[in-house]
Structure formats: C-alpha cells, structure tokens
Amino acid sequence: MSTTPASAPSPHRVLPTARPDDDEIRPLKPPVDPTTLVHAQIRRDEFWRNIPAYADVSYEQFIDHAWQSKHTITRPEKLIETLKDHVSPEFLADVNAGFHKAPMSLRISPYILSLIDWREPYGDPLRIQFVPVASRLLPDHPKLGLDSLHEQADAPVPGLTHRYPDKALFLPLDTCPVYCRFCTRSYAVGVDTDEVEKVQLKAKPERWQRAFKYIASRPELEDIVVSGGDTYNLRAQQLLEIGETLLAMPNIRRIRFATKGPAVMPQKLLTDDAWVDALTRVVELGRKLHKDVVVHTHFNHPNEITGITHDGLNRLQERGIFVRNQSVLQRGVNDTVETMRLLIKRLGHVNVHPYYVYVHDLVQGVEDLRTTLDTALVLEKHIRGSTAGFNTPTFVVDAPGGGGKRDAHSFEHYDRDNGISVFTSPAVKEGQFYLYYDPLHLLSPEAQARWADPQEQYRIITNAIERAKGKIRP
Ligand SMILES: *Cc1c(COP(=O)(O)O)cnc(C)c1O
Ligand code: SF4
C-alpha cells in the first residue's frame, strides 16, 4: 500500500543526473557548520567549582551520589549561607520571602545548584524551577485548587490512582531527590510548608500490600506507573520488591519507573551500583517474561544535561534500559521554540526519547510558571519536523478534574480572549467537559476584569461549554 499522494514525486525516483558509475557527490544543500550543532556540545567542565562552597570539590567527590545526597540543601537558611557573598543580599531576601509563600518545601542538589548562573539568577531557567522569589509570584487563577487532577478522588487505595481503563499510577512514597516548585503533587510530596499541610504517603509495607492486592484483583490493569515521590528514593531492595511483585502478576504487561533523578542527580546512575543493579534486574526479569520495563524521567531544560548525565545515561543504554522523558512547559524555562528544540535534540543525543510535554497543571502558588495553551500549540507546530518523529513529544493537557491527558490540539473549543479551553475525554468519562484556564496575567486587562467578576466568570464558563457542545456530534 502506498501512502504517497498521487501528485507527490515518488520517494524512490532516481535523480535524472545520477548514473550508476557516477560517484561524485552532488550536494543539494551545503553541510552545516558543526559548531552550530549546539545540542551535541555537552559541557564537561568542572562547573561546580564556580560556587565558592564547592571550589575545592574534586570530580571524584562530585560524581559520588552519597556526596550529592549529603550536601543536598533542604533549609532556606542553608541555601542562603551557601550562596552568600555570591549573590546580592536583596536577592537572598527575595528568596527568603519566596519560601514563606511557597507550597513546596526546599530540596536542591549541589548538581542543580551549581548549574544555576547566580550572576543572573532572576532569568536562570533552573533557578526558576527550584528556588521561588517573592517578587515574581502572582495571584492564583480563581478556578485553581490543590490536587487539580483529582488524583486522590480516583484512588481506590491511598497512593494508587486508577483513572484510565488499563493503567494505574502507584505512589510508593512521597519524597524526591529534589523538590520542584511546580509539582502537581504538592498536595502530598515533600514536607509541610507554611502554605500546605501534606497528605502522607509513606513507604509503608501495609499500604503497598493493599495496592498490590488491588492491582492483582483487576484483570484489566496491564500497565503500572511507579512514581511518587520518586523511584530514585526507593532503596535497591524496595525497587526490586515492587518490580518483582508486579511482574509476577499475570495481568501486568508493562511497568514504568518514574524518576526525576537523571535530570537532577545523574551521579546516582554512575556510583549507586546497588540501585542501578536492582533496576537492571527488574528490567532483565521483565525481558525474560516478555514484559516491558522502562524508566520515565523529567528533563525540562537543555542546561540540565551535562557530561555527567551523558555518562550516567550511557550506563543505562549499555544495560539495555530504555528511557523516556516527560517535560513540563514553563514560562521563562522552556517556552520558546529555540529552547524546546534544543532540549529535544539534546535528549535524543543522549538516547532519551521525548514522550510528553505537559501544559502546566493548575497548581497553587506557581502562576508565574504557567503559560497559555496557545504557546503549546505554537511550539508543537515549530518543533515537529526538526528531528525523528519518535523523538518528537506530544504536547498534552492533563485535564483538570480527572479527565486525564489530552492532546493539546484536541480541544473542543478554545476562547483565546478569555483564556479558557474545553476538552472531552470519552475513553475516561463519556459526556463530561473538562476546562483548562490560561493564566490571567497573560490576558488583556478587559479579560482580567471579567474574571474578577463572579457573574462574568459564570458566563465565560457556560458560554465555553455551550460552544463545545455545539461542536460535538451526538
Ligand atoms: C499519566 C498517568 C498515567 C499514564 O498515562 P500515559 O498517557 O500512558 O503516559 C496513568 N495514570 C495516571 C493517573 C496518570 O496521571
Ligand atoms: S521530582 Fe516530580 S514528584 Fe518530585 S517534586 Fe519534582 S515534579 Fe514533584
């Protein structure tokens, strides 16, 4: 069967000028200057030595995951102490005030800390993701709440979300190697902050047993996402236990271990042999049972990828461990075509397949990080075609209210003036409408005034749903 339209030239045509004995190359376009292939230029300098506190840290020390964990910063006072004399006192005061208003607790690895350009901290894409500053915070959208994805409402057992027919999300624990400002699970992940008292999801054997029992009792469940919290924070033995238990269930065909780790502490892939060996054993057991076990990770910016990352990922590649990436689209981090393209090309270069780019969820306290649905649509258009199709991510909206992930382009209606889009999710819940809201500060002053008026809010929402209903065939 040919998929080539009749009017297009055959892909197999022979160029009229080519003769079998003609070994001359006829360039159709000139080769690019290799220095412009920035995605393949991965830094291998000792960048951490720029931070006064790490100036004497050797390469061997810096790639030791135990050193990284031990020096991970978890108190704002410690961060301020590490950075003082390196950044201005005004900036530090701004950080301090930012933490008091933040829904997420602080946890930042020396690796990430030293990749931040502290000479220009306000615009740095890594600073923006991990260190809040009070002066840049914006009020939340009026329709925004904690756990906007209804993960808890769809949980038959605490920490097990069964929303889709054949797959479920298992949260074995509630800690991560770092804490991201934008975390969708700020309702559970991390320790309590001034702003949020967390739901507890400890790594408790009884809770895990209940989750396993539920998974085994549902023949339709084939696919388990082990997330958290973060798989990096499971001990090797725990990782093995979860993997072996799930693989032993005849209904389970696929497991993904989700971890931010490779993006924020790649050292573990190089020096935590017990953990990497446990992961390898689960992958190999899966292979023996003809089941799919992969890693899902979470890079958001090309600066997160260094020579240490490349070496760590090469180790997984050598063991035949497949890695996919899920990014979160964030304003000032990866919301330009140039940055997103560089991220995707660089991920491809280190053998990570870009899978999803999430339009930022409606998360409390991070309105400065969100951008419009339209931004995602524009990025997708410009990125598709720059590299292999399997390395081109799908841009998705995780529909607030539990609709699940929807292709960003699949909205039933999008009112760009008022920043409201309507999605449906027939495979998850027939007949239901799911609404996504663009951040108010990117709308016109008139639209912002409308959202400030509860009656106008009601009118905007009912109008959007009516328009969506009109488009859907019965
Ligand atoms: C994202 C997610 C999954 C996995 O979805 P995919 O589209 O297959 O990656 C499963 N369950 C829940 C609750 C999720 O949020
Ligand atoms: S690593 Fe993932 S789960 Fe952990 S804080 Fe960041 S976004 Fe949340």
Side-chain angles (χ1 to χ4, degrees), residues 91-271:
F91 177 76
L92 288 181
D94 207 356
V95 168
N96 201 28
F99 276 117
H100 285 293
K101 295 186 176 162
M104 281 306 283
S105 29
L106 172 67
R107 184 168 267 273
I108 186 166
S109 59
Y111 175 78
I112 288 292
L113 184 90
S114 37
L115 285 171
I116 294 172
D117 181 359
W118 293 103
R119 288 165 309 179
E120 302 281 350
Y122 281 104
D124 187 275
L126 274 58
R127 194 287 299 161
I128 294 174
Q129 296 180 66
F130 297 100
V131 181
V133 287
S135 65
R136 299 287 164 100
L137 297 179
L138 292 165
D140 284 342
H141 193 285
K143 304 306 289 180
L144 186 150
L146 260 191
D147 189 18
S148 81
L149 303 182
H150 280 211
E151 288 191 343
Q152 295 179 84
D154 284 341
V157 173
L160 183 77
T161 300
H162 185 189
R163 167 173 307 142
Y164 298 96
D166 73 349
K167 57 195 175 187
L169 170 69
F170 176 40
L171 311 177
L173 79 178
D174 56 13
T175 62
C176 301
V178 293
Y179 292 133
C180 317
R181 288 185 55 213
F182 49 88
C183 184
T184 293
R185 302 208 178 97
S186 57
Y187 68 85
V189 168
V191 294
D192 292 349
T193 68
D194 287 1
E195 286 299 310
V196 180
E197 203 175 313
K198 313 270 168 170
V199 177
Q200 299 236 317
L201 294 175
K202 296 281 165 258
K204 273 211 296 254
E206 310 85 72
R207 188 173 64 81
W208 290 12
Q209 291 312 322
R210 282 171 67 196
F212 294 149
K213 209 168 144 195
Y214 177 85
I215 295 167
S217 76
R218 306 296 293 226
E220 70 275 28
L221 272 182
E222 300 186 345
D223 179 350
I224 305 298
V225 182
V226 181
S227 183
D230 195 295
T231 306
Y232 243 43
N233 283 27
L234 291 171
R235 290 192 302 275
Q237 189 51 40
Q238 293 175 315
L239 175 58
L240 209 52
E241 182 191 325
I242 293 173
E244 287 175 347
T245 307
L246 292 175
L247 285 173
M249 296 178 192
N251 53 321
I252 295 306
R253 307 290 312 153
R254 294 177 287 283
I255 305 175
R256 334 172 198 178
F257 286 104
T259 171
K260 179 87 179 157
V264 294
M265 206 187 278
Q267 287 85 352
K268 191 177 177 87
L269 303 177
L270 292 169
T271 57

Side-chain angles (χ1 to χ4, degrees), residues 32 46 144 161 235 404 430 440:
V32 305
E46 297 198 337
L144 186 150
T161 300
R235 290 192 302 275
E430 188 72 57
L440 294 187

